[in-house]
Amino acid sequence: MRTAFTEMVGVRHPLVGFSRSPGVVAAVSRAGGLGVFAASPYRPEELDAQLAWIEEQAGGRPYGVDLLVPPATEGGADLLATLRAQIPERHVRFVQELLARYGIEAPDPTRGNGASDDTVRGLSPEGVHEILDVTFAHRVALVANGLGTPPRSMLDGGRAHGVPVASLVGAGKHARAQLDLGVDVLVAQGTEAGGHTGTIATMVLTPEVVDLAGGVPVLAAGGIADGRQMAAALALGASGAWCGSVWLNSHEDVTTPVVKQKLVEATSADTVRSRSRTGKPARQLRSAWHDAWDGQEAPEPLPMQQQLLLAKDAWAEIDRAAETGSPGARELESFFVGQVVGAFGELRSAERITEEIVAGCERRLAELARLLG
């Protein structure tokens, strides 16, 4: 299959595999798609090592990088200390009591656990600049902003290094704003998607963005996990499909076994859009954590950086307890996932998932062509 997107990034199949797991990214690229690596949680030296490993494992095939750049970020030498000081005592107490209710020792809110600090640092202007410097030092085929408007440094860096810049959008007004900036690819992400997402369904959003985009390639995202859904994306006018959740059901994915088992057991109705994990609406597997934050006694989630520090510190303890077999931790456990979670089953390799999606898409397109015969 050849589309404007495959020609732009040099891949055989119009399929993007977005993942925080380097093994997934490399496998998708080896199979002819474009693996895209979630970079924001990593320190610059860690990201450099991960991208070098992906390049080696992908055998030189194209791959990309995605990072989160909120519309407004704060920086400064004392960023983390300042943000932690801004977390209200009520929120700290709520999380501590929630974890205690499920038999988990609560983290010290005045100290970071490493992962939360790295993620928040990666959202700051300094962190974004460092991530982009590392990214453009490698042979990436695409750089994407997964949240908000790409910063000028991303757009300028893309032009300077000949790397297309993509942006995820959840509404027509977002697409228009990104087009005015000069992005090279739009990803129309419907509400079915896992992670940060809006409220418009992929079936409605994709053709709307395609009509606005003119000659700019559009990828459809949200609710795409098999060949039929990829074929539907192409039928809507997209130049390809951007998939994220499906890779959670792969061998290469780094999600903990407890969460993977919960995902396999879930139905498509078991997800929720909630601000309780990142401060912005993000679709994830519903758990006791979300039920508590939806309760009448719960405080409103904080802005993104503070809520990330609060929640990710707590999640480090939840993950640790889950690994030891804590039943309370299992009730709380969750991860970002789309509504396609209901189709999860036996674990497969990421390469096999890629091949089966592409083959299923080709088969369905051929079947549709025969309808015209």
Side-chain angles (χ1 to χ4, degrees), residues 44 47-48 51 67 126-138 153 157 161:
L47 178 60
D48 184 57
L51 297 187
L67 58 154
E126 295 83 1
V128 169
H129 180 75
E130 291 172 347
I131 289 172
L132 287 174
D133 279 350
V134 173
T135 296
F136 289 129
H138 287 264
S153 57
H161 293 87

Side-chain angles (χ1 to χ4, degrees), residues 8-293:
M8 175 182 288
V9 298
V11 294
R12 298 202 318 272
H13 309 308
L15 177 66
V16 172
F18 166 72
S19 176
R20 63 174 179 156
S21 305
V24 169
V25 174
V28 173
S29 290
R30 281 198 306 270
L34 184 76
V36 171
F37 187 56
S40 289
Y42 293 92
R43 292 178 178 271
E45 62 275 14
E46 294 171 337
L47 178 60
D48 184 57
Q50 295 284 9
L51 297 187
W53 186 90
I54 289 170
E55 288 170 358
E56 179 182 356
Q57 295 298 313
R61 291 177 177 83
Y63 75 99
V65 168
D66 174 281
L67 58 154
L68 298 177
V69 186
T73 58
E74 299 178 3
D78 299 324
L79 169 66
L80 294 168
T82 300
L83 291 172
R84 287 191 180 280
Q86 293 172 354
I87 300 175
E89 175 60 30
R90 181 190 177 195
H91 287 71
V92 173
R93 188 168 59 252
F94 177 79
V95 170
Q96 289 175 332
E97 292 173 354
L98 172 58
L99 266 59
R101 196 182 314 148
Y102 287 88
I104 300 170
E105 183 177 352
D108 180 353
T110 65
R111 300 175 59 189
N113 60 37
S116 59
D117 289 358
D118 290 346
T119 298
V120 171
R121 188 182 293 109
L123 300 179
S124 70
E126 295 83 1
V128 169
H129 180 75
E130 291 172 347
I131 289 172
L132 287 174
D133 279 350
V134 173
T135 296
F136 289 129
H138 287 264
R139 302 188 304 275
V140 296
L142 183 79
V143 61
N145 183 22
L147 186 68
T149 302
R152 177 51 55 186
S153 57
M154 181 185 289
L155 293 164
D156 290 346
R159 300 289 181 272
H161 293 87
V163 178
V165 176
S167 185
L168 277 70
V169 298
K173 63 180 180 180
H174 301 150
R176 282 188 289 268
Q178 315 294 30
L179 290 167
D180 289 342
L181 284 172
V183 299
D184 303 294
V185 180
L186 288 172
V187 182
Q189 180 172 269
T191 191
E192 303 96 320
H196 297 109
T197 188
T199 59
I200 304 173
T202 305
M203 179 69 75
V204 174
L205 180 65
T206 301
E208 180 181 353
V209 174
V210 168
D211 288 346
L212 290 169
V216 173
V218 175
L219 303 177
I224 301 174
D226 73 11
R228 294 167 298 179
Q229 291 156 339
M230 182 178 174
L234 295 174
L236 292 172
S239 290
W242 174 290
C243 304
S245 297
V246 67
W247 315 110
L248 296 171
N249 199 38
S250 72
H251 293 297
E252 294 90 343
D253 178 74
V254 297
T255 303
T256 64
V258 171
V259 174
K260 283 194 174 186
Q261 184 59 38
K262 289 189 72 172
L263 294 175
V264 169
E265 295 169 358
T267 72
S268 57
D270 290 331
T271 68
V272 61
R273 284 178 74 247
S274 171
R275 293 175 52 220
S276 64
R277 190 153 177 170
T278 71
K280 290 186 177 294
R283 187 171 297 283
Q284 50 212 282
L285 186 69
R286 178 182 282 278
S287 76
W289 169 276
H290 306 94
D291 293 339
W293 279 92

Side-chain angles (χ1 to χ4, degrees), residues 335-361:
F335 196 65
F336 305 103
V337 69
Q339 292 177 334
V340 294
V341 68
F344 283 13
E346 182 182 357
L347 290 178
R348 297 169 290 165
S349 72
E351 284 193 59
R352 179 181 167 191
I353 292 172
T354 303
E355 292 164 354
E356 290 182 353
I357 291 176
V358 171
C361 177

